[in-house]
Amino acid sequence: MSLALSAGSLGGVSTTTATSDAGARTGRLRTGFRSLLDAAVTPLSVDDLLDHFAPLRTGAAAGLQGRIVSVHKETADAATLVIKPGRDWAGHIPGQYVRVGIDVDGIRLWRTYSLTHGPRRDGNISITVKAIPGGAVSQHLVREARAGQMVQLAQAEGDFVLTPPVAGRRQKLLLVTAGSGITPVIGMLRNLYSRNEADARAAYDIVLVHSAMKRDEVIFGAELRAHAEAGRLRLVERHTDTDGLLTTADLEAEVPDLAERTAYACGPAGLLDTLEAFYDDRRLTLHTERFRPTVVDLDAEGGTLTFAGASATTVETDGSVPILDAAESAGVLMPSGCRMGICMGCVLPMKSGAVRDLRTGELTVAVPGETHPDGVKIQTCISAAAGDCTLDH
Ligand SMILES: Cc1cc2nc3c(=O)[nH]c(=O)nc-3n(C[C@H](O)[C@H](O)[C@H](O)COP(=O)(O)OP(=O)(O)OC[C@H]3O[C@@H](n4cnc5c(N)ncnc54)[C@H](O)[C@@H]3O)c2cc1C
Ligand code: FES
């Protein structure tokens, strides 16, 4: 037994050596060939060319990208973009979001959008964007994005997803949305009802309370009403121009069994703040997705922001806005992502100074000689200057 084993392992070693010699030769040939190709296309590189002709390939040097396949209007101010993601797209769970990088006036800006489908047979993903007045990216995506345009993508993230149903038990759900807050929820609904409708009906009993300013501003209005007519969910549709803003008393009246329902909410900060307080009071759980951070009332101080790295500039700020916004308004190209404190895409080292977390009021201070010599990392999207600050950027 031991002899057989030792002979077997010897054989294995010699085979591996032969294979690794051949592998090394192939590797050297490949590297040589690659250098020749790179020399032939100088000043570009082969990666540049491949990125140009096959940007969606696995391992693209430019990172994960997507090609806009179609853009269609949902309402006067909202549009859905269907995007073919690169082969490195790792998939998503309905309710999650994706960070999208797009060049606007020659500057790459990143914003976050909920995915409005479950995984699709054609492998494409979709986002639905509502144009915000003065919004740099949302206006561009809704009014100017065209099929064929490339966008940068990050992998899907987020935990605003349905908990899987327990076998044999029908889960009661309450979904409360307003405006563009319907986007993660339509992704959940489409995913549920595009697979096995009978299973979805058996697994979930859904009430959706959705508000928009007017009937023709309801994003996915026809689709939601069709779900309701088909008995897949109970839809409570409110138009705030005539019905007023949804109150918690309205919600209790519309959904008397609210306490028995697993609740998800997505919409403007005011609605989410009200719902969170209501659910906290009743010691009930509410899952929320926020598109913007809640900002606490502050005695704004502000100061001079000094960008001491390659940006080499100073910006005056009154401390009422995030450093990210103040810097971008002054033309500084900043790293960013979700713009609400979740992705860490905006983190920069602060060498000296103090910033205040706009969500909590908490102060973070960097003192040369006392705090880390490389600086204290701060999220510029949720931090406002609380005095003069020097950032390495
Ligand atoms: C997890 C997550 C999911 C999101 N999903 C979606 C989605 O599915 N569809 C969608 O349309 N948006 C979504 N957003 C919001 C989106 O990321 C952008 O914030 C939004 O498109 C505005 O970007 P902008 O560049 O046009 O505005 P900016 O140029 O950044 O801001 C312009 C002005 O509008 C204000 N502003 C910024 N964002 C908002 C907002 N959401 N509501 C009101 N005022 C705002 C700013 O304070 C500023 O005054 C999501 C955000 C997050 C964090
Ligand atoms: S941009 Fe995402 S945490 Fe700041």
Side-chain angles (χ1 to χ4, degrees), residues 324 336-347 379-382:
L324 177 59
S336 71
C338 65
R339 306 179 81 88
M340 58 168 298
I342 47 182
C343 75
M344 299 292 168
C346 62
V347 168
Q379 288 166 280
T380 60
C381 71
I382 42 94

Side-chain angles (χ1 to χ4, degrees), residues 38-378:
D38 274 336
V41 298
T42 302
L44 298 175
S45 69
V46 174
D47 278 340
D48 291 334
L49 287 185
L50 284 172
D51 278 357
H52 184 74
F53 291 109
L56 303 184
R57 73 187 195 285
T58 307
L64 181 62
Q65 297 188 69
R67 181 184 290 116
I68 299 177
V69 175
S70 63
V71 181
H72 61 265
K73 280 252 177 247
E74 296 289 353
T75 65
D77 288 326
T80 291
L81 285 79
V82 177
I83 300 170
K84 182 178 179 55
R87 293 231 174 101
D88 287 331
W89 174 253
H92 72 281
I93 305 171
Q96 288 191 307
Y97 54 80
V98 59
R99 290 199 295 126
V100 177
I102 185 139
D103 293 342
V104 181
D105 298 332
I107 296 174
R108 172 70 46 92
L109 299 175
W110 285 87
R111 297 291 186 274
T112 305
Y113 294 99
S114 301
L115 290 148
T116 44
H117 273 97
R120 295 167 40 135
R121 271 186 227 284
D122 60 9
N124 293 338
I125 57 173
S126 64
I127 57 172
T128 300
V129 181
K130 174 145 198 250
I132 303 280
V137 173
S138 58
Q139 289 286 345
H140 182 87
L141 290 176
V142 172
R143 319 243 180 253
E144 284 167 51
R146 294 286 172 267
Q149 197 175 340
M150 299 301 294
V151 292
Q152 200 80 32
L153 297 173
Q155 297 292 351
E157 289 175 71
D159 52 12
F160 188 72
V161 297
L162 292 180
T163 47
V166 178
R169 220 182 72 209
R170 199 161 183 236
Q171 191 180 343
K172 290 179 138 195
L173 294 182
L174 170 59
L175 311 170
V176 186
T177 57
S180 57
I182 188 65
T183 50
V185 162
I186 200 79
M188 296 171 180
L189 295 175
R190 285 174 173 169
N191 186 54
L192 282 179
Y193 292 115
S194 66
R195 292 184 304 165
N196 184 329
E197 175 152 354
D199 280 0
R201 283 176 188 258
Y204 294 105
D205 158 358
I206 303 175
V207 177
L208 169 61
V209 180
H210 180 66
S211 306
M213 186 83 85
K214 301 182 173 116
R215 186 178 162 91
D216 63 3
E217 289 185 16
V218 178
I219 303 174
F220 314 123
E223 188 175 340
L224 296 176
R225 288 168 211 130
H227 278 314
E229 275 155 29
R232 298 182 194 122
L233 51 80
R234 181 158 79 81
L235 175 65
V236 181
E237 182 178 334
R238 294 178 62 97
H239 306 136
T240 50
D241 62 345
T242 47
D243 303 333
L245 289 177
L246 178 76
T247 64
T248 49
D250 297 332
L251 190 63
E252 280 186 301
E254 293 284 2
V255 192
D257 61 352
L258 165 154
E260 296 163 28
R261 293 183 173 272
T262 309
Y264 293 79
C266 183
L271 172 70
L272 297 184
D273 292 346
T274 306
L275 289 176
E276 275 177 352
F278 175 83
Y279 271 77
D280 274 358
D281 276 355
R282 284 156 187 75
R283 296 184 193 285
L284 295 171
T285 305
L286 174 70
H287 305 272
T288 56
E289 182 77 312
R290 285 180 181 270
F291 287 0
R292 309 187 70 200
T294 306
V295 172
V296 294
D297 193 18
L298 298 166
D299 291 325
E301 290 164 52
T304 305
L305 296 171
T306 302
F307 293 94
S311 304
T313 187
T314 57
V315 175
E316 295 300 326
T317 168
D318 66 5
S320 65
V321 291
I323 288 174
L324 177 59
D325 289 359
E328 284 183 345
S329 304
V332 182
L333 183 56
M334 297 283 283
S336 71
C338 65
R339 306 179 81 88
M340 58 168 298
I342 47 182
C343 75
M344 299 292 168
C346 62
V347 168
L348 287 179
M350 175 170 67
K351 295 286 198 176
S352 68
V355 294
R356 183 173 279 118
D357 187 319
L358 283 164
R359 303 164 303 178
T360 61
E362 193 182 321
L363 271 183
T364 300
V365 179
V367 183
E370 284 181 28
T371 45
H372 197 286
D374 293 339
V376 175
K377 291 195 169 142
I378 58 156

